[in-house]
Amino acid sequence: ALQEFLKKISASRALTASSRITVNGLQKTAGEESINQLHVAIILVGITENASEIIIEPSAEEARIYFVENQAASEKFLLDLTVYQTLATNLKKLAKVEKNTTDASQYTRILFPTPGKKYDIQFSSIPAETGEKLVLKLMAHNPLPRLPQLPDLYMSKKLQQFITRQLEKSGGFFLTAGPNSDEHSAIAYAMISQFGVETGKCIAIEDEIRYLLKGVEQYQVN
């Protein structure tokens, strides 16, 4: 299914060339819109070739894309700097990070839609002298941990029963607070998992997506 999806993206034709990818070359090979499809095509190629990481590293004159497979990095594509800049902008837009920020590291998660499922990708942007080094970790190789359930959490039965009664009500809100070590995000995920989906449309807006919730619209924000 991924291969079929990849064939529909015109930019993928330019990725079969052995020479450096330029704006003119992209447009000549794959059409005007191919420059804005390139980031999707590169991710799809990485997934289909079973890469665990995609590394995009600029230098003074060009940018190189490496795939990490079985803990070994191999160079896959060579990009003109103009192509790299557009690619970086589109990846940052996909990751919902500040596209104009180049002097601070940024980390986030991308839920990349593919046929049949959303693919979990960890995105990082690291400033360097010649531009930003971009790293995409394809997390299907290391899936997110099992979703916690309320009975699994370290809390008294009395407190579990209280939470259950409150969640069965038709209105109100929960405030979970405390230091990071309190794992209040695990409590929130457990509550959504157990009650949120059954009661109607459920949307989660998260600073870091730690678990994938079936039937929930999850949005990554920075």
Side-chain angles (χ1 to χ4, degrees):
L2 285 172
Q3 292 285 8
E4 286 299 312
F5 193 28
L6 187 58
K7 285 178 187 174
K8 294 175 184 176
I9 296 173
S10 60
S12 64
R13 291 197 291 274
L15 298 178
T16 58
S18 56
S19 58
R20 184 164 71 178
I21 298 170
T22 64
V23 174
N24 289 338
L26 265 173
Q27 291 175 344
K28 191 174 180 181
T29 307
E32 293 288 326
E33 266 305 300
S34 57
I35 187 74
N36 289 319
Q37 297 178 334
L38 189 61
H39 64 300
V40 174
I42 286 170
I43 290 172
L44 284 173
V45 171
I47 293 171
T48 56
E49 294 196 8
N50 206 34
S52 58
E53 288 183 40
I54 299 170
I55 300 169
I56 305 165
E57 206 162 49
S59 64
E61 298 177 354
E62 57 204 8
R64 297 175 188 274
I65 296 180
Y66 301 90
F67 284 5
V68 177
E69 301 168 57
N70 300 319
Q71 298 184 327
S74 59
E75 186 180 322
K76 281 289 180 182
F77 308 112
L78 187 62
L79 307 180
D80 190 74
L81 274 183
T82 308
V83 176
Y84 156 76
Q85 287 159 359
T86 304
L87 176 68
T89 298
N90 286 332
L91 281 172
K92 290 170 103 175
K93 194 183 294 181
L94 190 66
K96 296 183 173 65
V97 299
E98 295 291 333
K99 58 179 180 290
N100 297 322
T101 302
T102 56
D103 57 352
S105 297
Q106 298 186 86
Y107 302 90
T108 186
R109 216 170 204 120
I110 297 170
L111 291 180
F112 182 73
T114 62
K117 64 180 261 186
K118 287 183 177 179
Y119 211 89
D120 185 30
I121 300 172
Q122 196 177 83
F123 170 91
S124 62
S125 163
I126 305 158
E129 286 183 21
T130 53
E132 291 175 274
K133 177 180 176 179
L134 304 175
V135 179
L136 302 169
K137 288 189 178 183
L138 308 180
M139 301 299 286
H141 291 260
N142 298 292
L144 291 171
R146 187 178 72 86
L147 188 66
Q149 303 298 319
L150 277 176
D152 301 334
L153 301 178
Y154 189 71
M155 63 171 67
S156 68
K157 193 164 185 179
K158 185 179 178 182
L159 183 54
Q160 283 187 36
Q161 289 170 344
F162 169 78
I163 291 173
T164 300
R165 285 197 304 273
Q166 302 310 309
L167 287 170
E168 287 170 349
K169 294 181 178 179
S170 59
F173 65 90
F174 260 93
L175 174 65
T176 62
N180 287 338
S181 58
D182 279 358
E183 288 298 323
H184 40 77
S185 60
I187 297 172
Y189 273 105
M191 290 193 296
I192 293 170
S193 170
Q194 193 161 336
F195 297 96
V197 185
E198 296 173 4
T199 55
K201 185 172 182 178
C202 190
I203 299 170
I205 301 168
E206 308 176 49
D207 184 37
E208 180 189 352
I209 295 173
R210 297 190 183 183
Y211 305 92
L212 296 180
L213 293 160
K214 189 176 180 182
V216 177
E217 292 181 32
Q218 290 175 271
Y219 296 94
Q220 172 79 55
V221 294
N222 189 35

